[in-house]
Amino acid sequence: MTARPAPDTRARGRFITVEGGEGAGKSTLVERLVGALGERGIRAVATREPGGSAGAEEIRALLLGGATERWDPVAETLLLMAARRDHLRRTVWPAIAAGRWVVCDRYADSTRAYQGAGKGVDPAFIEHVQRSVDEGRAPDLTLVLDLPAALGRARARARRGKDDAAGDRFEALESSFHERLHSAFRAIAEAEPGRCAVLDATAPPDDLLAAALRAIGDRLPLPLRPA
Ligand code: TMP
């Protein structure tokens, strides 16, 4: 048996984003992926958008709280982009520069889907602002969790019922909005097959994790057997 070389911790880390509609299991998958990558000798950190840095978490509270019509879609896009810029500069880029892998619960495709396809913000405007915010650095890989919108909403409702918590401004939107999101995430993945992998989010959590690790192994060179 040939010994595998130890992972090169001086190398730049990778940026993996996890996308999809409500109730698709993104947060659970992000946490489990970080654990599974760690078992393979890869130092990984979990983060989320909007949020992931002190300033961005403050903006998250502004974005998610209050009445559904609190922000118009353009203002909402700009708040999300301000949060993203802070998150990239303070959390994501420093971690990647230090050799860590960053696994992020939602990122720019959520803006394309929710604010673009869902709420009618001009896609050209979103891309223009995004280019300044990310300085041309796209994620290395995006895992798109695919789940019929009705099933995702039912899962999100069940979760809220358990936590006795009200939905946020976005979860309160009507079902046609969530159908548009579902189509938008699929269209994004079809348009960028090199960056995106679509995963069946109706699968049990263990199978979803295995599929995610396979997708990562197919696209990014990494030691995918446990260390
Ligand atoms: P979460 O429920 O996955 O934590 O996400 C919070 C909400 O923010 C979710 O309903 C989707 C929304 N969102 C956008 O509308 N656009 C974005 O760019 C991001 C990152 C999130």
Side-chain angles (χ1 to χ4, degrees), residues 22 26-27 48-50 60 64 76 80 84 105-112 114-115 119 159 168 170-171:
E22 317 292 327
K26 293 178 299 299
S27 311
R48 69 172 180 181
E49 288 212 350
R60 179 185 176 95
L64 300 194
E76 190 172 280
L80 284 158
R84 180 161 303 146
D105 185 346
R106 294 194 184 281
Y107 183 64
D109 295 322
S110 281
T111 316
R112 295 177 178 117
Y114 281 75
Q115 281 66 45
K119 299 190 179 183
R159 187 180 57 205
D168 63 35
F170 295 87
E171 288 171 346

